[in-house]
Amino acid sequence: MKSMETAAQVLTKTVNGVAVDDMAQTVDAIKSNPAIAQFKFRIRNEWAGGSQNTSTVNGFHGATQEQSRRKPFVLEADEPPVLLGQDKAANPVEHLLHALASCLTTSIVYHAAARGIHIEEIESTLEGDLDLHGFLELDPRVRNGYQAVRVKFKIKADVPDDQLHEICGLGTGHSPVYDSLVKGVPVSVTAERL
Amino acid sequence: MKSMETAAQVLTKTVNGVAVDDMAQTVDAIKSNPAIAQFKFRIRNEWAGGSQNTSTVNGFHGATQEQSRRKPFVLEADEPPVLLGQDKAANPVEHLLHALASCLTTSIVYHAAARGIHIEEIESTLEGDLDLHGFLELDPRVRNGYQAVRVKFKIKADVPDDQLHEICGLGTGHSPVYDSLVKGVPVSVTAERL
């Protein structure tokens, strides 16, 4: 992969597959017009019976305008049989781990690119601890959510060991999902009749 | 949908597509062996270049044993062009909204079922505010993550208005992802050489 990236870099000035010139231009554009930095991401979810539901992802607001996709992305959710589902898709707390892994990885890749650090491979395994005493109201001392999440990265890059941990810190230091999950986010929930 | 559920209910004692007898049996089983409630969910993520990466979801630990799927679920992530990606998949912060919507919905459905409350339809729209001044290190006062998330449910159920808000509260009161996101989760991140 490294040789491909080096070839691509010559043509389009990319590092790690990221167009670093475009990233620098975005930063300059935001400095002259801060409104460019304001994004609103959206999904629409529909229940499909039991433990199954589907989200549709399409438009968002960003860079001062409404943005849309050529076609919407469809994301499914279900539960495994032991949690009373049909096992047609990953479950919500597994989707949360995917959001975290993907955001940390992209944050590492983008910010390493901005610093000229070439990365060859990144893998991660994530594990989260959940105690159903919370969800099932069996013990008020047990929280409903994850008690802890562990992320283990394996990174291949031509850097010394101490820089490997620095690269990992580019993820935790910038990732929107990591920040949201570790520090918490205000979430308002309202309901009306359909 | 309601008539189908009523027919299914006669055969297998389901409410809202949830096997409520199995849910009650799970509660009883946990009361006699608390270890049954301990779950560990896992994913494995692999970078595919630039803003693209893929998670594989398969095994987890729950109900005192290792559990696996018939086949793994594959979850993709990318970024739209305005965020320097190829737009092949929803982005990480959109996946986070899917995790939240799906978990709130399933929590509503399960806990309404346990109370014998029949729900006909649930839809939700979610929106989250993200200011790139955080991710791009342009303003240290701006957080990297979502500043706020708004969830709007529309629910069709044969209940009075005040119970509609009660039903919505079954989601916020039990959802593992909602609890994780609102209160925050300790996340450890380590890196080693690949």
Side-chain angles (χ1 to χ4, degrees), chain B residues 89-138:
Chain B
N91 82 359
V93 292
E94 292 170 327
H95 281 289
L96 181 61
L97 296 182
H98 172 57
L100 179 60
S102 59
C103 197
L104 281 169
T105 299
T106 300
S107 299
I108 288 173
V109 168
Y110 277 37
H111 281 281
R115 285 157 181 75
I117 302 168
H118 290 259
I119 297 176
E120 292 177 57
E121 294 179 46
I122 306 180
E123 296 175 8
S124 58
T125 53
L126 286 79
E127 186 176 71
D129 304 328
L130 200 71
D131 181 343
L132 285 189
H133 282 90
F135 178 80
L136 291 172
E137 297 182 330
L138 291 171

Side-chain angles (χ1 to χ4, degrees), chain A residues 93-184:
Chain A
V93 293
E94 291 169 329
H95 282 288
L96 181 62
L97 296 182
H98 172 57
L100 179 61
S102 58
C103 198
L104 281 168
T105 299
T106 300
S107 299
I108 288 172
V109 167
Y110 276 38
H111 282 281
R115 286 157 180 75
I117 303 167
H118 290 258
I119 297 175
E120 292 176 58
E121 293 178 47
I122 307 180
E123 296 175 7
S124 57
T125 53
L126 286 78
E127 186 176 71
D129 305 327
L130 200 71
D131 181 343
L132 285 189
H133 282 90
F135 178 80
L136 291 172
E137 299 183 326
L138 291 171
D139 186 342
R141 296 165 302 181
V142 176
R143 70 178 298 178
N144 300 333
Y146 273 130
Q147 297 179 310
V149 170
R150 293 169 293 283
V151 183
K152 294 184 182 178
F153 275 103
K154 290 191 178 181
I155 300 172
K156 187 172 180 184
D158 187 19
V159 295
D161 280 347
D162 59 340
Q163 204 175 357
L164 203 73
H165 297 285
E166 206 177 290
I167 290 172
C168 179
L170 294 175
T172 53
H174 297 97
S175 162
V177 174
Y178 176 83
D179 180 74
S180 298
L181 191 56
V182 168
K183 295 184 185 162

Side-chain angles (χ1 to χ4, degrees), chain B residues 15-176:
Chain B
V15 179
N16 303 328
V18 179
V20 286
D21 284 355
D22 291 353
M23 196 168 167
Q25 281 171 19
T26 301
V27 168
D28 288 343
I30 290 171
K31 282 179 181 166
S32 62
N33 181 8
I36 291 172
Q38 305 301 324
F39 279 67
K40 289 183 191 296
F41 293 100
R42 305 175 185 130
I43 68 161
R44 183 178 179 281
N45 184 278
E46 194 166 355
W47 180 43
S51 51
Q52 293 176 42
N53 60 74
T54 302
S55 292
T56 308
V57 184
N58 193 348
F60 61 94
H61 179 90
T64 74
Q65 56 191 296
E66 291 299 304
Q67 311 264 356
S68 66
R69 267 69 180 239
R70 280 160 296 182
K71 63 180 180 66
F73 302 114
V74 176
L75 308 176
E76 307 281 352
D78 195 358
E79 293 288 350
V82 71
L83 295 171
L84 312 179
Q86 305 296 315
D87 211 19
K88 303 275 190 191
N91 82 359
V93 292
E94 292 170 327
H95 281 289
L96 181 61
L97 296 182
H98 172 57
L100 179 60
S102 59
C103 197
L104 281 169
T105 299
T106 300
S107 299
I108 288 173
V109 168
Y110 277 37
H111 281 281
R115 285 157 181 75
I117 302 168
H118 290 259
I119 297 176
E120 292 177 57
E121 294 179 46
I122 306 180
E123 296 175 8
S124 58
T125 53
L126 286 79
E127 186 176 71
D129 304 328
L130 200 71
D131 181 343
L132 285 189
H133 282 90
F135 178 80
L136 291 172
E137 297 182 330
L138 291 171
D139 187 342
R141 295 165 301 180
V142 177
R143 70 179 298 179
N144 300 333
Y146 274 130
Q147 298 178 310
V149 171
R150 292 168 294 284
V151 183
K152 294 183 182 179
F153 275 105
K154 290 190 179 183
I155 300 173
K156 187 173 180 184
D158 186 20
V159 295
D161 280 348
D162 59 340
Q163 204 174 359
L164 204 74
H165 296 284
E166 205 178 289
I167 290 173
C168 179
L170 295 175
T172 54
H174 297 97
S175 161

